[in-house]
Amino acid sequence: MSAGAVAGAIAGATAGAAAAAAGARVKAEATTAKREAVLRVYRGDASGGQEVEYQVPVETGMVVLDAIHWIQAHQAPDLAVRWNCKAAKCGSCSAEVNGKPALMCKSRMERFAPGEPIVVRPMKTFPIIRDLVTDVSWNFEVNQRIPPFQPRAGAEWKWQQHDVDRAQEFRKCIECFLCQDVCHVLRSHELKHQFAGPRFLVRIAGLEMHPIDGVDRTPFLKDSAGIGFCNITKCCTEVCPEDIHITDNAIIPLKERVVDRFYDPVQMVWRAITGK
Amino acid sequence: MSPEPQRKLSSSAGVAPAAAPSYRPATCTPPGAWRGAGYGQPFGATERTDTWWLMPLAQALGLGLLGLYATWAAFQGAHYEFGNYLSPFYSPLLKPAWWPISPAFLILWIPAGFRGTCYYYRKAYYRAFFADPSACAVGEPRKGYRGEVGFPWAIQNLHRYFMYFASILLVFLWWDVIRAFIFTDPDGSHYLAIGGGTLAILASNALLTMYSLSCHSLRHLVGGKLDCFSCAVAGGPRHGAWSRLSALNAHHMGYAWWSLFAVCFADFYVRMCSMGVFHDPMFVTFRHLFDYAPKISHFLL
């Protein structure tokens, strides 16, 4: 095949692909242009509330947060919602969409079947302020109590990439608190006075696995952060919008470190003999 | 760009505390001060519209049926051998005179403990049998909850010891795999072959090995406990081993289920052959291999 023929074929294929894409776009717009979604949004505050139904026109590429904004703009300007980036990076628009903790800006409207009501409620683990906004400040109080990073005496500020790979996964956390919301220890059993929750176990894991950190947080993990309350049901991992393997890579390794210190009889005897 | 001055002063930038600090509680509020709407929801209450109940139901059925079969098979105390095949439930075969019941119970506490304290199975049975929770964001049947803090669930912390014992068992199980390849003629001569039971026992042990290698505790002991691989003795090999075990660990759930199915099937196959229900097919036979090395077969058998 000559160069000209190749170029022609490529141009033809490109034009064909563009036409197909345009056709698909027109088709998608035609199917969604007149479509309306039914949103049932929780309206209320600490004294009580109820779900209110709204009809929202659906456009291509729309997410639940767009629908909430449409409701704010056209039907309920007093609807309270916390949001910021609309790009799944600020962690502000956490809510429960059809009962599942999720970022509203990552919940695409196409995911729901036509006519399927979309129920949007505030996170159930934290006290409600109004509508979709909850008071998550408990998390910031817990965060302040975690022993911060402190380098080992004489540590050199230089390390290998493979030494920090693990901790870098934990730095992806956007603090949306969806993991805290879905954790049944905090949500159903209300053990906020005993258990720090998956978000902060992730933070502690990032500190504990840092190659030059010198603080020993193992007693803190057991006695104060309450890691023993976690029964590894992995809901935190399921809802994490950053795809952090919270249970496998943070909580279980920390549990194993607690076992090293407090439950492994051989290691306890070894430490008693060697003094290490 | 030059680094910030204080970041160069590594030795004086910070000093680890000399004594263990007295920690404040992680949380600072009285019980119930931050209560949300999820507290006290009745069992099964949720706004989820998907089939959230399907997975715990399937897990309960799978674990229940396979657990019942394993218990039944262990209590039988018979039909666990067929020729050169030995059921994995009874391996290594120990039959002391003083032991009054099935020899399986001398062995099965190890795999039962290994699986019972396994981080994956914990998730599965806490969800399936204890509804703690049955699915994410679904109401629970009980208000009281202690997690794995006190007795008996604190025993889960001994998972690594069951892993040690299970690793020893694996050696015996691989020995059984080798024996499953060596058949005996009526005249007493041995030959190498691959029968249906050989494949069943081989698959069972291969999957058990993968399940053991993908164990979270093993991953921790091999290298996960280190904060700095490049600072540790043999840090490079340990990082390599830890990375490979971490890759296997991502499939721990799959290995847990497949190995459970496979080990039950291997016992079932041997049992059916021993009872005369199955005829063991012979796929490949190497008749004269041991003619040149008769001592090998003698040693193995």
Side-chain angles (χ1 to χ4, degrees):
Chain A
M1 191 182 285
S2 69
V6 171
I10 291 170
T14 309
R25 197 162 49 243
V26 168
K27 192 177 174 185
E29 282 168 3
T31 53
T32 57
K34 292 178 183 172
R35 196 183 136 200
E36 283 202 334
V38 178
L39 263 80
R40 290 187 192 147
V41 183
Y42 185 83
R43 303 296 310 273
D45 54 24
S47 60
Q50 61 181 353
E51 288 172 9
V52 178
E53 192 168 300
Y54 300 97
Q55 305 277 338
V56 179
V58 178
E59 293 178 17
T60 306
M62 201 168 173
V63 293
V64 169
L65 184 60
D66 290 323
I68 295 292
H69 284 162
W70 192 92
I71 294 168
Q72 270 188 329
H74 296 91
Q75 294 184 18
D78 61 338
L79 172 61
V81 58
R82 186 186 282 130
W83 73 285
N84 196 342
C85 74
K86 228 197 89 176
K89 283 297 162 199
C90 73
S92 301
C93 63
S94 303
E96 299 193 3
V97 181
N98 278 1
K100 281 187 179 176
L103 292 179
M104 286 188 280
C105 69
K106 276 192 87 173
S107 304
R108 298 184 72 87
M109 297 291 280
E110 290 96 337
R111 195 158 55 85
F112 304 100
E116 177 189 0
I118 302 167
V119 178
V120 187
R121 297 180 71 105
M123 290 192 286
K124 285 191 173 178
T125 294
F126 305 108
I128 187 169
I129 297 175
R130 216 185 88 190
D131 299 340
L132 300 178
V133 179
T134 50
D135 181 358
V136 295
S137 53
W138 172 80
N139 294 289
F140 305 123
E141 293 190 20
V142 176
N143 194 40
Q144 286 181 328
R145 290 175 175 250
I146 294 173
F149 172 81
Q150 194 170 22
R152 288 191 311 273
E156 192 181 359
W157 283 83
K158 198 162 80 176
W159 48 77
Q160 302 296 316
Q161 179 59 42
H162 65 259
D163 286 325
V164 289
D165 279 338
R166 281 184 296 177
Q168 281 183 333
E169 180 189 6
F170 309 137
R171 296 296 291 246
K172 290 195 300 181
C173 177
I174 57 173
E175 294 206 318
C176 60
F177 302 128
L178 288 173
C179 56
Q180 303 284 80
D181 180 43
V182 80
C183 174
H184 73 123
V185 183
L186 303 174
R187 181 189 180 99
S188 301
H189 300 292
E190 184 56 30
L191 293 176
K192 295 190 184 79
H193 57 294
Q194 289 179 292
F195 182 53
R199 158 54 195 138
F200 298 106
L201 295 179
V202 164
R203 177 162 180 241
I204 294 170
L207 294 166
E208 277 294 281
M209 296 177 193
H210 195 287
I212 68 163
D213 179 73
V215 180
D216 173 19
R217 295 175 192 80
T218 312
F220 177 84
L221 273 168
K222 176 176 173 281
D223 299 325
S224 184
I227 194 168
F229 283 98
C230 171
N231 68 339
I232 335 183
T233 43
K234 285 200 173 183
C235 288
C236 49
T237 305
E238 285 185 23
V239 300
C240 179
E242 283 294 313
D243 200 26
I244 301 170
H245 293 85
I246 298 172
T247 321
D248 287 316
N249 290 350
I251 297 178
I252 293 174
L254 290 180
K255 272 183 171 266
E256 287 292 315
R257 288 174 184 227
V258 170
V259 173
D260 282 344
R261 178 71 62 85
F262 296 104
Y263 294 99
D264 187 328
V266 173
Q267 290 202 34
M268 288 157 81
V269 170
W270 176 256
R271 273 196 303 275
I273 293 170
T274 62
K276 290 180 182 175
Chain B
M1 186 188 290
S2 61
E4 296 168 35
Q6 68 270 27
R7 290 175 69 85
K8 287 162 67 180
L9 303 172
S10 57
S11 58
S12 58
V15 177
S22 59
Y23 295 113
R24 295 184 297 171
T27 56
C28 46
T29 50
W34 292 86
R35 191 164 287 171
Y39 177 70
Q41 277 199 317
F43 179 41
T46 182
E47 278 86 40
R48 285 181 64 169
T49 53
D50 58 340
T51 51
W52 58 265
W53 45 268
L54 192 59
M55 188 55 77
L57 181 66
Q59 287 170 334
L61 283 174
L63 289 175
L65 289 174
L66 293 172
L68 278 176
Y69 174 78
T71 309
W72 174 83
F75 268 108
Q76 293 307 299
H79 297 299
Y80 50 80
E81 277 184 301
F82 177 69
N84 52 336
Y85 301 153
L86 175 62
S87 160
F89 288 166
Y90 288 78
S91 178
L93 188 55
L94 305 173
K95 289 198 283 190
W98 49 267
W99 185 250
I101 54 174
S102 166
F105 289 105
L106 287 168
I107 303 301
L108 275 185
W109 62 272
I110 297 173
F114 187 40
R115 288 186 190 267
T117 57
C118 162
Y119 285 103
Y120 166 69
Y121 282 111
R122 275 144 83 172
K123 170 198 167 187
Y125 66 71
Y126 284 139
R127 285 192 181 200
F129 297 128
F130 295 91
D132 234 355
S134 46
C136 306
V138 174
E140 296 182 24
R142 289 174 299 279
K143 280 194 178 176
Y145 176 80
R146 295 276 298 149
E148 298 181 338
V149 172
F151 184 81
W153 301 113
I155 291 172
Q156 309 278 29
N157 291 309
L158 296 178
H159 180 54
R160 61 183 58 176
Y161 282 90
F162 288 109
M163 187 264 290
Y164 299 147
F165 286 120
S167 304
I168 297 168
L169 270 194
L170 269 183
V171 176
F172 289 99
L173 288 166
W174 277 108
W175 189 256
D176 293 338
V177 171
I178 295 169
R179 290 185 67 235
F181 279 92
I182 301 167
F183 293 77
T184 308
D185 269 335
D187 64 0
S189 63
H190 302 301
Y191 62 98
L192 200 68
I194 299 174
T198 313
L199 296 179
I201 292 171
L202 175 64
S204 152
N205 284 1
L207 288 163
L208 282 174
T209 304
M210 298 305 279
Y211 171 60
S212 302
L213 285 174
S214 60
C215 168
H216 290 85
S217 288
L218 180 64
R219 179 192 183 210
H220 168 77
L221 293 163
V222 162
K225 65 195 300 179
L226 298 175
D227 293 336
C228 177
F229 289 106
S230 53
C231 317
V233 176
R238 290 184 76 179
H239 179 263
W242 173 82
S243 300
R244 286 169 181 81
L245 293 186
S246 296
L248 289 179
N249 178 259
H251 305 286
H252 194 51
M253 178 183 79
Y255 292 130
W257 277 109
W258 283 112
S259 63
L260 189 59
F261 278 121
V263 76
C264 286
F265 178 75
D267 174 87
F268 178 74
Y269 189 91
V270 172
R271 189 169 297 281
M272 291 298 107
C273 290
S274 170
M275 293 168 73
V277 179
F278 285 179
H279 169 71
D280 184 40
M282 207 59 66
F283 299 117
V284 184
T285 304
F286 305 99
R287 281 247 161 234
H288 303 292
L289 195 71
F290 289 133
D291 292 351
Y292 305 101
K295 284 185 181 171
I296 294 176
S297 65
H298 193 71
F299 170 71
L300 291 175
L301 298 170

